[in-house]
Amino acid sequence: MSDQRGRQRRIDREWDAAERYDYRDGWDTDWDTDRAVGDVPGSAPYGAPVGFGTRAVARGKQPRRLRDRHFSTRLVVTLALLSIIMGFCCTQSTLSVVDAVAAGRDAQTQVTIIEGMLKGGNYFDTDHLTELQTHLVTLDGDLNRLQHDVPWGASYVPVGSSVAHLLNMASLMVRAGRYGVDAGLILLPHLKAIFSDIGSGSPTVPAPTTPTATPTATPTAAPGSANSTTAGVTMDEVTRAQQDIAAAGALVQQAIAERQQINDGLLNRVGLGKFVTLLAKVDTVTPKLPTYVNYAHTVMNALPNLLGMSAPEHFLLFDMDSDELRPSGGFMGNYALLTIQGGHLVGGIHLKDVITLDCPNGVCPTNPIPATYAWMNIDPQHFGMRDSNLSPDFPTSAQLVMQQYQRESGQKVDGVIMITPEIIKDILQVTGAISVPGFSQSVNAKNLQDVIHYYHILSGNTGGTTSAGTTERKVIDTLLGGALLQKFATLDATKQSTVMRQIVQGFSTKDVQVYLTDPQVQAVLVGLKVASSVAMPPGADGLMATDANVGATYYNSDIKETVADTITFDQNGNAIHDATITYQFQVVEHLYTPLLLHGNITWYNDVVRILTPADAKLLDSGVVKCPTSCYPVAAPEQGHQVWSIRIQNLQRGQTVVLHFKWMAPKALQTVNGTEEYSLQLYRQAGNHISYTITIRPPAKSQIAQPLPTPFKTPAKTTPGTAAVYSIPTLTKDTLLTISFNGS
């Protein structure tokens, strides 16, 4: 018993010592005190265990003292470590949440800015691209912060996993964008340098032939070379751009893989529905991304050849006259040979009258027109390059143009570029009016064709070659082209970007048409639907109205043309077209009209062609109204059925109405269990045709509602019984698709 009491006294002394201040460890363990803490008598000091310093409580309710509890050293150390870890983790979690909120807000700001910049479309402004790159870098950093702030364990939870994949997908897409912009920043300055060097030297300007006093004396431009004076793109820069595009493509593929791991339903359930909406928009583009990536690879691989890095590349450029309309957009009155070498445009751009090639020294060699184009009979024994754009399918026309150029010049070329006056007008909208040396009339976007035609007619048929390298008749075209390009070179970066953006938009409207002999790059143009080809798509109906001015007059801008086509379906799903085409030769007074009328040039001659699918069947055609001579002609087009009528000697103020009825077989298609009909409308470059397409459903069916854009239900018509597509001028190829429901 005495031993037991002794052991207890020793334990009490050890605990009493432990409760006193230990100067070696710096711990104050004197928690067992009667001293009041705060305002509550007998309360424990801050941080003391519950029950310490409570001797003042009633006897019998006093909890056991710490010395009466037995803790192992391991347990005490473990509890201490846990408290430190928990405190650290809580602090880090708080900081992560704060950082994630800040990163998320900044990321949203960056996305809004980037979206606005992309919608602005200033892709050809290097300052704009540099700013865009800055915002992409910032957004990339925000996304990296968000990925870091997501707890590692969250990625193993279904919702957390989707969020992690979402962030990773976004980061990959942003990084791909950074590489793409970097490639643009490498190449774009060289592209602008090419434009800046165009027309740096101009040929001597002769005075135009003039029967009146309107044009004044013409000064002589200083001699000089139009060769590029800036450094061209290097192979090292091309390689860097290629590597950027390759890296961007790889990142896009990874992003697509990440998209497959995101559960939209889980994101919706946790309040992240706005991201699901954004993903839905991305999903509309995602299926096409691998194709676009392949296109980018193809173009970048071909870039060294296109830029003439190993050997010069030669291209024909044509400035067409849509007032004298031809199937590919207009009469090819002027041409220029472009030479690209080492990334330079060598020799600038100097337009020449096409007659200087077709009829050297004023003599046109005998060359009968090909049988396929016998309908083009203005001068059937003197078929030249000027007449070779007779197919509305641009690749077909371009190939014939190249054949004729090689035949007449002995030189091969690597591609053909054609532009309509609309592109020149777009440039003039930005540059403002241009004063052409030696001509009193300044040229602007509104009077471009009027002024040019005025001086063409005024000069008559003087065909001698001048020191400007062209004929006296076309000298204004050459001088205007040089002056316009020089004006472009002096524009600030924003205005230059506006012009280049308009040129790019011209590809979709066929105001810019390009054909390249490189089959892979040409396939990219076809895939992007900017090749101006007329290949009727499988499973869809097709329609193209074209005109060929075979009277060599400037009256196409005065022709108001309307196509009205009503489409019904027979019991076999064939589409029955019942179409009328109306030509109104409007009385319009131009600057040059008095000169035309004075010369008794009053007629308009046209070969009207309706292109349809190759298996279409003509049911009926004829002339409803023709105050002059109108008659059928054979004007075939490979791969199509063509219905053609020639309009002869139409006079101002007169109207012609033509009628065509045909059947397009198996036009109705079943898509996902629903009957659909698609009609591909093709625009003729340089033409301004109004279309009204009325579609009526098959028997025992109705047109599905609501109607897809741009269809409308005709006035006073029951919905489902008819749909109409109407447009004052078809500006680009348009696919119309409509669905039907059974009754």
Side-chain angles (χ1 to χ4, degrees):
M1 177 67 86
S2 59
D3 292 339
Q4 184 175 356
R5 290 196 185 102
R7 283 196 301 272
Q8 184 62 48
R9 283 195 295 272
R10 285 195 300 273
I11 292 172
D12 290 343
R13 285 196 299 272
E14 291 173 0
W15 277 104
D16 287 339
E19 289 174 357
R20 291 193 298 271
Y21 186 83
D22 190 334
Y23 291 96
R24 292 171 299 174
D25 296 332
W27 288 88
D28 182 5
T29 57
D30 191 15
W31 292 341
D32 190 11
T33 175
D34 292 329
R35 186 175 49 202
V37 179
D39 297 329
V40 182
S43 62
Y46 179 78
V50 177
F52 274 55
T54 55
R55 289 180 179 174
V57 298
R59 187 177 297 273
K61 294 184 181 181
Q62 179 177 345
R64 294 176 61 190
R65 298 172 60 202
L66 179 60
R67 68 183 63 181
D68 295 330
R69 303 178 185 181
H70 300 281
F71 298 96
S72 68
T73 302
R74 179 179 298 176
L75 179 59
V76 173
V77 172
T78 301
L79 289 172
L81 289 174
L82 281 174
S83 66
I84 294 172
I85 292 171
M86 288 297 291
F88 174 78
C89 289
C90 289
T91 302
Q92 286 297 102
S93 297
T94 302
L95 292 175
S96 295
V97 169
V98 172
D99 186 66
V101 170
R105 287 177 176 173
D106 189 62
Q108 186 174 6
T109 299
Q110 298 303 321
V111 168
T112 301
I113 294 172
I114 291 169
E115 284 181 336
M117 295 182 71
L118 292 176
K119 288 179 181 178
N122 294 326
Y123 309 122
F124 299 100
D125 186 339
T126 51
D127 292 337
H128 178 86
L129 289 183
T130 301
E131 183 183 355
L132 178 62
Q133 184 75 292
T134 300
H135 290 293
L136 286 171
V137 170
T138 303
L139 178 57
D140 194 14
D142 291 334
L143 292 171
N144 285 335
R145 287 165 59 194
L146 285 168
Q147 287 176 302
H148 178 267
D149 292 338
V150 172
W152 68 269
S155 62
Y156 293 95
V157 179
V159 173
S161 176
S162 287
V163 171
H165 286 298
L166 175 64
L167 290 174
N168 200 30
M169 174 188 173
S171 180
L172 290 166
M173 294 295 284
V174 170
R175 288 165 57 196
R178 289 180 58 185
Y179 277 110
V181 171
D182 188 60
L185 287 171
I186 292 171
L187 299 175
L188 186 58
H190 296 290
L191 179 61
K192 285 193 171 184
I194 290 176
F195 278 94
S196 296
D197 288 325
I198 289 173
S200 59
S202 300
T204 302
V205 183
T209 301
T210 170
T212 69
T214 305
T216 58
T218 305
T220 301
S225 170
N227 289 340
S228 176
T229 58
T230 57
V233 63
T234 66
M235 194 62 213
D236 179 63
E237 289 173 313
V238 172
T239 301
R240 283 170 49 205
Q242 289 174 328
Q243 291 171 344
D244 281 340
I245 295 300
L251 290 168
V252 167
Q253 295 287 5
Q254 294 176 41
I256 292 173
E258 288 292 321
R259 173 65 181 102
Q260 305 306 314
Q261 305 300 317
I262 301 172
N263 188 316
D264 294 2
L266 289 175
L267 294 180
N268 270 321
R269 285 200 288 273
V270 296
L272 298 177
K274 62 180 181 181
F275 293 105
V276 175
T277 302
L278 181 61
L279 285 171
K281 294 180 181 179
V282 174
D283 289 342
T284 61
V285 181
T286 300
K288 302 175 184 178
L289 285 179
T291 300
Y292 292 150
V293 168
N294 288 334
Y295 289 161
H297 285 317
T298 299
V299 173
M300 294 306 294
N301 289 337
L303 201 57
N305 288 335
L306 294 175
L307 292 175
M309 304 301 291
S310 57
E313 291 277 299
H314 304 286
F315 304 94
L316 286 172
L317 170 67
F318 292 93
D319 174 18
M320 296 184 294
D321 185 353
S322 58
D323 280 352
E324 188 179 340
L325 193 62
R326 296 294 172 84
S328 75
F331 178 64
M332 300 187 300
N334 297 289
Y335 81 100
L337 180 65
L338 313 183
T339 299
I340 308 291
Q341 185 173 10
H344 288 293
L345 176 63
V346 180
I349 297 178
H350 299 295
L351 293 172
K352 298 180 181 180
D353 189 340
V354 70
I355 205 72
T356 61
L357 178 71
D358 286 346
C359 304
N361 301 316
V363 178
C364 301
T366 300
N367 180 33
I369 192 169
T372 303
Y373 302 110
W375 52 268
M376 180 65 183
N377 59 358
I378 294 179
D379 191 359
Q381 295 303 312
H382 298 98
F383 180 76
M385 187 177 71
R386 64 189 182 278
D387 299 318
S388 55
N389 61 333
L390 296 180
S391 172
D393 182 80
F394 185 71
T396 301
S397 275
Q399 290 170 27
L400 185 57
V401 168
M402 293 166 63
Q403 291 173 14
Q404 282 299 122
Y405 180 76
Q406 185 176 356
R407 181 178 182 274
E408 296 176 19
S409 70
Q411 182 177 0
K412 288 185 178 181
V413 293
D414 302 291
V416 176
I417 305 166
M418 294 187 188
I419 61 173
T420 72
E422 295 303 318
I423 289 298
I424 308 300
K425 292 177 183 178
D426 287 340
I427 299 175
L428 286 168
Q429 289 278 11
V430 178
T431 64
I434 299 288
S435 295
V436 183
F439 296 88
S440 60
Q441 290 278 352
S442 62
V443 179
N444 57 48
K446 292 183 178 180
N447 70 6
L448 169 67
Q449 288 163 278
D450 274 20
V451 170
I452 289 177
H453 294 153
Y454 174 79
Y455 285 111
H456 286 177
I457 300 169
L458 203 62
S459 298
N461 290 319
T462 52
T465 302
T466 69
S467 56
T470 188
T471 62
E472 292 181 13
R473 177 179 169 84
K474 296 291 184 69
V475 72
I476 186 173
D477 305 73
T478 298
L479 298 179
L480 175 61
L484 186 63
L485 293 169
Q486 287 181 21
K487 187 71 172 287
F488 171 83
T490 64
L491 295 175
D492 60 40
T494 300
K495 290 183 178 180
Q496 283 188 343
S497 297
T498 299
V499 170
M500 295 181 74
R501 186 167 66 250
Q502 290 169 335
I503 291 173
V504 170
Q505 291 172 346
F507 279 83
S508 63
T509 60
K510 300 185 183 180
D511 291 307
V512 177
Q513 299 176 97
V514 175
Y515 174 80
L516 301 172
T517 56
D518 185 316
Q520 292 182 319
V521 180
Q522 181 61 28
V524 170
L525 297 178
V526 173
L528 292 173
K529 298 182 180 179
V530 293
S532 296
S533 57
V534 189
M536 300 289 179
D541 197 357
L543 169 61
M544 183 179 196
T546 73
D547 296 283
N549 182 333
V550 293
T553 57
Y554 294 137
Y555 283 126
N556 274 98
S557 62
D558 300 341
I559 302 296
K560 182 179 180 181
E561 181 176 355
T562 303
V563 175
D565 185 15
T566 298
I567 302 169
T568 57
F569 302 91
D570 64 19
Q571 59 185 0
N572 297 316
N574 303 318
I576 310 300
H577 293 255
D578 196 338
T580 58
I581 303 183
T582 303
Y583 291 86
Q584 292 178 293
F585 193 170
Q586 303 174 103
V587 178
V588 180
E589 297 301 319
H590 300 278
L591 178 66
Y592 56 83
T593 301
L595 298 178
L596 284 177
L597 299 180
H598 179 74
N600 268 336
I601 303 173
T602 62
W603 65 87
Y604 173 69
N605 296 341
D606 190 3
V607 173
V608 181
R609 297 203 293 171
I610 300 293
L611 274 64
T612 66
D615 53 359
K617 306 294 182 184
L618 182 64
L619 302 178
D620 185 26
S621 70
V623 178
V624 177
K625 179 181 180 182
C626 183
T628 180
S629 175
C630 299
Y631 53 89
V633 295
E637 184 72 29
Q638 186 175 4
H640 303 82
Q641 283 287 356
V642 181
W643 332 123
S644 305
I645 290 179
R646 183 175 179 120
I647 301 173
Q648 190 73 13
N649 294 328
L650 186 65
Q651 301 294 310
R652 299 203 314 161
Q654 293 183 332
T655 298
V656 167
V657 181
L658 309 177
H659 175 249
F660 301 92
K661 188 173 183 180
W662 71 94
M663 180 266 288
K666 301 179 181 179
L668 282 181
Q669 302 289 319
T670 301
V671 179
N672 297 324
T674 301
E675 272 193 325
E676 279 189 0
Y677 170 70
S678 294
L679 175 67
Q680 179 70 63
L681 293 178
Y682 294 90
R683 185 202 181 208
Q684 179 186 9
N687 209 348
H688 303 278
I689 304 178
S690 170
Y691 279 86
T692 298
I693 307 294
T694 303
I695 300 177
R696 303 189 186 282
K700 301 181 180 180
S701 295
Q702 289 187 336
I703 298 171
Q705 302 293 313
L707 285 174
T709 305
F711 282 106
K712 294 183 179 180
T713 299
K716 299 180 181 180
T717 301
T718 303
T721 60
V724 170
Y725 167 75
S726 183
I727 189 167
T729 299
L730 186 70
T731 58
K732 61 182 180 180
D733 292 353
T734 302
L735 179 64
L736 304 175
T737 300
I738 199 164
S739 300
F740 304 104
N741 295 326
S743 58

